[in-house]
Amino acid sequence: MKAEIKDGKLIVEIDLQEPTPSTSGKTLVIATTHGNQTTTAMYDGQPITIGLNAYIRKLKKSQAFALGIPVNSNMTD
């Protein structure tokens, strides 16, 4: 993960990963810091710490079929 302050905005860049079921199984995680990570970006002389989870909802197989999306094992019945 990379973080920087640019034009008064915190810009965070993180690699996407293959969708992985969340702990609860309700969503699929597509990017995560795996907890809080201290960055080299600074605010008022202090390093910024970021904890980030990006996810998508799990599609039901019937929803995927209706949308023309290939059905896979990460989908619910």
Side-chain angles (χ1 to χ4, degrees):
M1 175 190 61
K2 184 171 89 172
E4 65 179 324
I5 295 178
K6 188 174 186 178
D7 299 324
K9 296 181 183 199
L10 175 63
I11 310 295
V12 179
E13 183 177 315
I14 188 168
D15 291 333
L16 291 174
Q17 64 184 45
E18 195 66 31
T20 306
S22 63
T23 302
S24 71
K26 295 179 183 177
T27 59
L28 298 172
V29 178
I30 59 169
T32 183
T33 57
H34 299 284
N36 294 334
Q37 300 293 320
T38 302
T39 69
T40 57
M42 303 290 276
Y43 186 84
D44 281 343
Q46 295 191 45
I48 297 171
T49 300
I50 297 173
L52 183 143
N53 289 310
Y55 56 90
I56 55 176
R57 65 187 171 109
K58 255 185 156 175
L59 284 179
K60 292 183 178 180
K61 291 178 182 176
S62 60
Q63 291 171 313
F65 182 77
L67 294 170
I69 299 170
V71 174
N72 65 48
S73 61
N74 286 325
M75 296 175 181
T76 60
D77 289 325

